[in-house]
Amino acid sequence: MSAALLELLETSSTATETDLAATLRERTAAALGETADLLQDDDLQTALFLAYELRYSGLRGIDDAWEWHPEVLALCASIELEFEKALRERAPMPELPAPGVESVAAALFELTGADTGPSVSRYMAKKATDEQAHEFLILRSIYQLKEADPHSWAIPRLRSRAKAALVEIQADEYGGGRFDRMHSELFARTMRGVGLDATNGHYVDAVPAITLASSNMMTMFGAHRRLRGAIAGHLAAFEMTSSQPNRLYGNGFRRLGYNADVTFYFDEHVEADAVHEQIAARDLAGSLATDEPELLQDVFFGAAAGLYVDGLAGAQQLDAWTAGTSALRAVDTASLPA
Amino acid sequence: MTEPDNQPANQPAKRFDDQWDDHPAAGADEPVSITAYPNGPLLVRGTFEILTPTGEVIPPRRKTVALCRCGVSTLKPFCDGSHKAIGFRTEPEPPAPQPPLPA
């Protein structure tokens, strides 16, 4: 059905538009009905990713007007409905604390500290080959080339202390207003430093559905005011599980012989995310849950969903690497053991 | 605070960040704040300098910095999140319940 979406977006004739839209609706409904696992469905996650990309950098050769076209919005809504349902059913929720800055921050630190899943960062530090390190960057590029953007949707959707806290974090993500210090730009420099193409979207076809799902989840949380609790919780959990892994990623690239041009992105995140996690846990998530206690549940849903999806993605990546195969999608089928 | 119109024409336009270089006390109306985050670092906001023991300025990489107070950061004086790994506590644990005194 992602092919049907592209066919619709590429048409310039209003006569065929109606037919193509009907086909797309039909195929989307069928795909949603038939999918064994929406989080692992390449077709549905690709379609949602493409539709969302119209809201970010756009799609080459596609009219920007499609961003707000009712057919595209309806496509997003139909996938989002099932996507959110799957995340709510599957992400393991912790026991909710009382709404308060201290209690929410403490519970978030406990939740993220208990995350003892398989560790991509330890593997990267100690074992990853140069080829696996390239795959690592390709997988990360889906989000990191637009790092911080999905959470920025929440800025106009928040008020009061939570808004100020989010702006303080995001300003740092965007390099304090310096282009060459923007985290997305630092990541692009890392990619170029190992010889990869840092053009936004270049590797979309090479990554598995779960990597697209991770990015799509953030856009869904960020772009719906109703889910502002979830995007706040997501950012908190993301920042709280970031500084130590980034130290290990940096060590991995140093072990493989790369210089500061390549490792600066990771080293920068060790320091930055140690700041951000404090602000995100207390001043963003804690304040939000205190000021709007009805959002408490969603703050923890966003955190739990982020940990769950990224845990699945990490486990798949490690499984592929330890089995001696590629963690990428295109290469995956070609290099299956005979 | 210098208004852009008052700048001599032969000087390059000021960038936003330059106001901090020119006016070390620019934060005078907004004093430096240090916030102690429970079981974590000290967050410093405002206009400030961090110096080495010999008086050299440690260039800040961001406007809000987190200073280590658990002692195990690998980036001292900055925090690297290590306090979580060692279970660093800033708040005293609630006292364990005492056995009742013998009558």
Side-chain angles (χ1 to χ4, degrees):
Chain A
M1 51 80 46
S2 54
L5 170 64
L6 280 176
E7 225 175 303
L8 173 66
L9 298 179
E10 279 162 356
T11 186
S12 52
S13 134
T14 41
T16 54
E17 196 181 304
T18 320
D19 290 345
L20 290 172
T23 308
L24 175 62
R25 277 198 299 270
E26 208 174 284
R27 296 230 186 124
T28 307
L32 285 168
E34 287 161 14
T35 186
D37 183 353
L38 179 51
L39 272 54
Q40 303 284 359
D41 192 305
D42 289 326
D43 199 20
L44 285 163
Q45 292 295 345
T46 300
L48 189 57
F49 188 86
L50 291 174
Y52 280 161
E53 200 53 34
L54 292 165
R55 307 179 188 183
Y56 291 109
S57 304
L59 299 172
R60 209 177 313 130
I62 304 291
D63 189 342
D64 284 338
W66 283 108
E67 179 187 356
W68 288 92
H69 193 288
E71 288 297 340
V72 174
L73 298 181
L75 169 93
C76 291
S78 64
I79 301 176
E80 284 166 346
L81 184 73
E82 298 301 323
F83 190 22
E84 184 184 341
K85 203 160 86 182
L87 292 171
R88 286 195 189 271
E89 278 168 10
R90 289 165 58 178
M93 283 286 280
E95 200 177 312
L96 294 181
V101 173
E102 300 298 335
S103 52
V104 168
L108 283 168
F109 275 113
E110 198 182 319
L111 174 68
T112 50
D115 188 32
T116 52
S119 166
V120 173
S121 57
R122 282 195 294 273
Y123 188 95
M124 283 290 296
K126 298 256 157 74
K127 295 184 185 161
T129 63
D130 191 47
E131 195 184 343
Q132 288 166 342
H134 279 71
E135 288 192 359
F136 168 83
L137 293 178
I138 288 170
L139 292 166
R140 294 275 155 154
S141 71
I142 300 302
Y143 168 62
Q144 249 80 35
L145 288 176
K146 54 169 168 282
E147 184 166 344
D149 288 348
H151 299 95
S152 292
W153 296 116
I155 294 173
R157 296 179 167 89
L158 296 176
R159 287 284 160 261
S160 183
R161 298 180 289 177
K163 183 202 282 281
L166 180 56
V167 169
E168 187 178 31
I169 295 169
Q170 298 300 88
D172 200 38
E173 293 281 344
Y174 293 120
R178 296 179 193 204
F179 166 72
D180 60 348
R181 299 298 298 265
M182 293 203 306
H183 285 179
S184 53
E185 187 53 30
L186 295 179
F187 191 80
R189 195 194 300 170
T190 293
M191 289 186 80
R192 289 190 289 266
V194 304
L196 290 171
D197 190 324
T199 313
N200 186 41
H202 184 80
Y203 294 106
V204 169
D205 290 334
V207 306
I210 193 72
T211 303
L212 298 178
S214 171
S215 169
N216 287 340
M217 172 179 59
M218 292 183 227
T219 305
M220 177 169 73
F221 290 168
H224 288 262
R225 180 176 181 279
R226 177 178 61 83
L227 296 174
R228 64 197 183 283
I231 193 68
H234 182 280
L235 182 59
F238 195 94
E239 299 286 358
M240 293 162 107
T241 49
S242 179
S243 39
Q244 286 307 310
N246 272 291
R247 189 166 61 85
L248 296 176
Y249 299 142
N251 290 346
F253 281 93
R254 272 183 284 275
R255 175 178 59 79
L256 291 166
Y258 292 103
N259 63 15
D261 258 3
V262 167
T263 61
F264 183 76
Y265 171 87
F266 303 107
D267 299 337
E268 155 68 7
H269 277 74
V270 178
E271 189 188 315
D273 293 350
V275 180
H276 299 173
E277 68 174 354
Q278 299 297 331
I279 303 169
R282 294 177 54 86
D283 307 315
L284 171 61
S287 298
L288 183 62
T290 307
D291 294 347
E292 300 187 71
E294 68 279 11
L295 298 180
L296 176 73
Q297 167 111 15
D298 269 5
V299 165
F300 282 87
F301 163 58
L307 296 172
Y308 175 69
V309 172
D310 292 345
L312 287 179
Q316 268 175 241
Q317 203 173 328
L318 279 182
D319 283 351
W321 286 351
T322 48
T325 57
S326 165
L328 301 181
R329 183 169 110 187
V331 193
D332 215 18
T333 42
S335 64
L336 280 177
Chain B
M1 202 63 63
T2 311
E3 293 296 326
D5 288 346
N6 298 341
Q7 282 183 34
N10 61 349
Q11 285 196 3
K14 290 202 172 219
R15 291 166 56 240
F16 169 78
D17 284 328
D18 293 342
Q19 65 179 303
W20 307 110
D21 300 337
D22 290 359
H23 301 272
D29 53 344
E30 185 206 349
V32 172
S33 75
I34 301 177
T35 311
Y37 279 67
N39 307 324
L42 303 169
L43 263 64
V44 188
R45 298 176 172 91
T47 308
F48 54 85
E49 282 184 336
I50 300 174
L51 306 177
T52 66
T54 51
E56 287 129 23
V57 174
I58 299 172
R61 298 212 290 213
R62 60 200 71 260
K63 290 199 83 156
T64 301
V65 302
L67 298 180
C68 171
R69 69 171 162 156
C70 74
V72 303
S73 170
T74 56
L75 294 177
K76 288 195 280 285
F78 303 111
C79 170
D80 71 352
S82 292
H83 54 270
K84 293 183 289 184
I86 61 162
F88 175 66
R89 313 294 294 180
T90 53
E91 313 301 321
E93 296 285 341
Q98 297 294 313
L101 290 173

